[in-house]
Amino acid sequence: MLGNATTCEEVVAFYLERIHQQQHLNAYVQVYADEALEKARQLDASRSKGLPIGKLHGVVIGIKDVICYKGHPVTAASHILQGFNSTYNATAIHKLLTEEAIIIGSLNCDEFAMGSSNENSFYGNTLNALDQERVPGGSSGGSAVAVQAGLLMVSLGSDTGGSVRQPADFCGIVGLKPTYGRVSRYGLIAYASSFDQIGIFGTNVPDVARVLEVISGADEYDSTVSTEKVDDYVKSLEDTDKPFRIGYFKDALEHPALDKEIASAITDYIDQLKVSGHSVKSIDVDFLDYIVPAYYVLTTAEASSNLSRFDGVKYGYRSKDKSLELTEFYRQTRSEGFGKEVKRRIMLGSFVLSAGYYDAYFTQAQRVRQQLFDQTQLLFKDFDILILPTVPSSAFKFGEKSSDPVEMYLADIYTVYANLTGIPAISIPLFKHSNGMPFGLQAMTNQFCELSLLQFAQHLLHPQALTV
Ligand code: GLN
């Protein structure tokens, strides 16, 4: 283990050794070993001269393979982006580097962040370190396993419909999706632009809070990012001994898709929260069965448009067949370059946007989204926190759901709500299933209330007496 006077170089060497030992987990796509060691030496030298240190000085971070890091490959775990290097830094990366973080590598995920099991990656499956026959979750599976298996300190993922919270739940760690517009999307490869948000994985809440504080905030390169002030998340993390007003969706806990053991663990936990002085009330909602369809109509529509740029001319892979005329060349490159799930979504998205079906699907789904947003805003007049399970089951086995895409989609029932409404959400690792796997509790607050969300999560993981 590492001693008191540990240097950044020793820390990086420690993680490189662990990455080497745990290669079979397939969490990393790229490891920047020499570069990370060099950066660590530079940090050690500047610190020994007594120069001021950054907020993330020496923090070893990995990034999902959908975030651009200048001069490094970024492929969205897809064949179609093989050979492509980022020509600029994502804003989140720029901010991490400014605060002296060390980026140690890029992490495996489902192709273009589409999936819930990491089974859709060009690089093969990432394994759950707690049971290698089980999926780590997706789409940010590599980012979750890297934290779970101690292959770095914290990691970045992206969350369009649960891709940070669901793998965090399956791996027994903390996963935060910030408010839509809290963190710049500049340099994040787009899946569904009105849903996508960079999120953070860690073993504890303070680590996640610190990274959030660094990467949040206004950005001239992303007009959807908010100018709302960034709170002092770390300093104020423990500044709460007041009870929270908590709401939970009764129908969600009684839903037939929910594993019985998860339902009873969360129900018991709700009783405990009441006993410890919080106000906890049940909420009746009627939207649960609409949210997954609305999510898949809207995200596939956006994806079909976003992914049209990958045509073999501008980026990465191109078909080897030189005899093709232009349209045929696009068709061939895209057929060879995209995997099955990505193609399915491009087709679904093109269908729901097509002239005869636009109103029936796309417009209708947008209406659902608007109503959901309005209802949610009303709920936050009465509640500080909304709670839900994160996922209806604990980590399932490889192959268990991959032959049935609809079954896989339906398992997103508890996570897509926060993306449809843009609110922040966190998965808090609190429980263990009798099958040996962990699972979490999901908490949500209103937009830009990440501070109380993090305070709540910290409070649950480290309970303190309340002043009622
Ligand atoms: N499982 C969801 C999907 O496949 C979530 C994806 C994500 O958040 N990137 O769309």
Side-chain angles (χ1 to χ4, degrees):
M1 276 275 85
L2 301 164
N4 263 346
T6 308
T7 63
C8 294
E9 186 177 358
E10 284 168 332
V11 172
V12 170
F14 169 81
Y15 284 115
L16 289 174
E17 178 59 27
R18 285 197 61 84
I19 294 168
H20 182 69
Q21 285 163 0
Q22 304 290 322
Q23 264 179 51
H24 59 282
L25 296 175
N26 200 22
Y28 280 82
V29 174
Q30 298 272 334
V31 181
Y32 310 132
D34 293 342
E35 212 183 300
L37 282 167
E38 179 52 32
K39 177 77 192 271
R41 278 181 219 115
Q42 284 169 15
L43 292 177
D44 288 333
S46 78
R47 200 176 59 257
S48 66
K49 284 189 203 130
L51 295 172
I53 64 168
K55 277 188 181 178
L56 296 175
H57 184 90
V59 172
V60 178
I61 294 190
I63 56 175
K64 183 175 178 179
D65 188 28
V66 288
I67 302 175
C68 295
Y69 179 19
K70 188 172 178 179
H72 298 79
V74 61
T75 71
S78 179
H79 190 192
I80 211 160
L81 274 172
Q82 292 307 303
F84 180 71
N85 281 310
S86 299
T87 52
Y88 64 91
N89 278 330
T91 298
I93 297 298
H94 172 73
K95 291 187 175 202
L96 291 178
L97 295 173
T98 307
E99 292 298 342
E100 302 186 334
I102 300 173
I103 299 177
I104 197 164
S106 67
L107 299 159
N108 203 352
C109 56
D110 284 301
E111 186 180 4
F112 283 98
M114 298 175 186
S116 308
S117 62
N118 222 122
E119 288 165 294
N120 303 333
S121 167
F122 177 66
Y123 306 107
N125 298 340
T126 296
L127 311 184
N128 193 313
L130 280 169
D131 177 347
Q132 296 178 20
E133 286 179 9
R134 291 181 191 268
V135 305
S139 61
S140 317
S143 302
V145 170
V147 169
Q148 178 198 39
L151 311 182
L152 40 63
M153 294 175 184
V154 275
S155 64
L156 296 189
S158 65
D159 191 313
T160 304
S163 282
V164 169
R165 291 157 288 151
Q166 186 256 23
D169 174 285
F170 282 7
C171 292
I173 59 174
V174 178
L176 171 77
K177 177 201 93 78
T179 308
Y180 180 79
R182 180 70 301 181
V183 177
S184 169
R185 290 180 296 111
Y186 181 70
L188 167 68
I189 294 181
Y191 158 18
S193 313
S194 75
F195 293 74
D196 297 340
Q197 190 61 191
I198 290 178
I200 307 158
F201 293 92
T203 56
N204 60 71
V205 177
D207 282 3
V208 169
R210 185 171 298 271
V211 173
L212 181 68
E213 205 172 291
V214 168
I215 66 175
S216 293
D219 180 17
E220 59 177 319
Y221 297 118
D222 174 2
S223 60
T224 63
V225 83
S226 171
T227 52
E228 186 98 11
K229 175 182 157 289
V230 177
D231 286 316
D232 213 334
Y233 300 120
V234 183
K235 204 162 130 227
S236 316
L237 203 52
E238 315 268 353
D239 289 359
T240 172
D241 58 356
K242 293 275 170 286
F244 288 92
R245 297 174 306 158
I246 305 166
Y248 68 94
F249 301 146
K250 198 163 125 286
D251 289 349
L253 288 180
E254 289 168 2
H255 201 277
L258 180 60
D259 177 288
K260 294 285 164 290
E261 214 175 305
I262 298 183
S264 76
I266 295 185
T267 310
D268 291 351
Y269 197 78
I270 287 173
D271 291 338
Q272 270 183 45
L273 287 171
K274 285 184 197 158
V275 172
S276 47
H278 299 284
S279 140
V280 193
K281 294 199 176 117
S282 104
I283 308 169
D284 287 320
V285 289
D286 53 7
F287 51 66
L288 224 50
D289 290 335
Y290 301 98
I291 56 181
V292 169
Y295 168 82
Y296 276 94
V297 168
L298 295 172
T299 53
T300 55
E302 292 190 26
S304 70
S305 158
N306 274 327
L307 270 58
S308 63
R309 75 193 73 186
F310 303 106
D311 55 11
V313 176
K314 304 184 208 65
Y315 313 93
Y317 173 80
R318 57 176 58 180
S319 175
K320 304 277 169 293
D321 191 341
K322 298 250 177 349
S323 67
L324 303 171
E325 59 83 29
L326 191 62
T327 312
E328 204 35 53
F329 165 78
Y330 288 157
R331 196 196 314 274
Q332 190 70 14
T333 298
R334 286 165 68 83
S335 302
E336 291 167 6
F338 288 131
K340 202 164 146 203
E341 181 59 27
V342 172
K343 284 186 217 168
R344 177 170 18 245
R345 296 198 190 195
I346 293 173
M347 287 190 280
L348 262 170
S350 308
F351 175 76
V352 300
L353 287 175
S354 60
Y357 296 96
Y358 190 96
D359 278 342
Y361 293 104
F362 189 71
T363 311
Q364 197 67 1
Q366 274 187 312
R367 284 204 191 105
V368 171
R369 190 179 198 185
Q370 185 61 47
Q371 281 194 17
L372 213 59
F373 180 80
D374 296 343
Q375 280 192 38
T376 305
Q377 288 308 306
L378 288 178
L379 289 177
F380 283 119
K381 288 192 192 305
D382 298 324
F383 299 101
D384 310 310
I385 304 273
L386 300 177
I387 55 179
L388 274 176
T390 308
V391 196
S393 73
S394 57
F396 46 89
K397 300 225 163 125
F398 285 103
E400 208 176 302
K401 290 190 202 283
S402 43
S403 58
D404 185 349
V406 174
E407 197 193 337
M408 191 81 97
Y409 297 169
L410 287 172
D412 295 335
I413 181 163
Y414 301 129
T415 46
V416 296
Y417 172 62
N419 305 82
L420 281 159
T421 54
I423 60 175
I426 192 165
S427 183
I428 311 164
L430 286 171
F431 307 107
K432 195 167 181 182
H433 199 276
S434 60
N435 64 15
M437 299 310 287
F439 61 96
L441 177 75
Q442 185 182 197
M444 287 159 280
T445 51
N446 206 352
Q447 295 174 301
F448 303 104
C449 298
E450 275 84 354
L451 179 57
S452 45
L453 186 63
L454 293 165
Q455 287 171 331
F456 180 69
Q458 177 71 351
H459 176 74
L460 296 197
L461 289 168
H462 302 278
Q464 279 168 15
L466 300 174
T467 320
V468 186

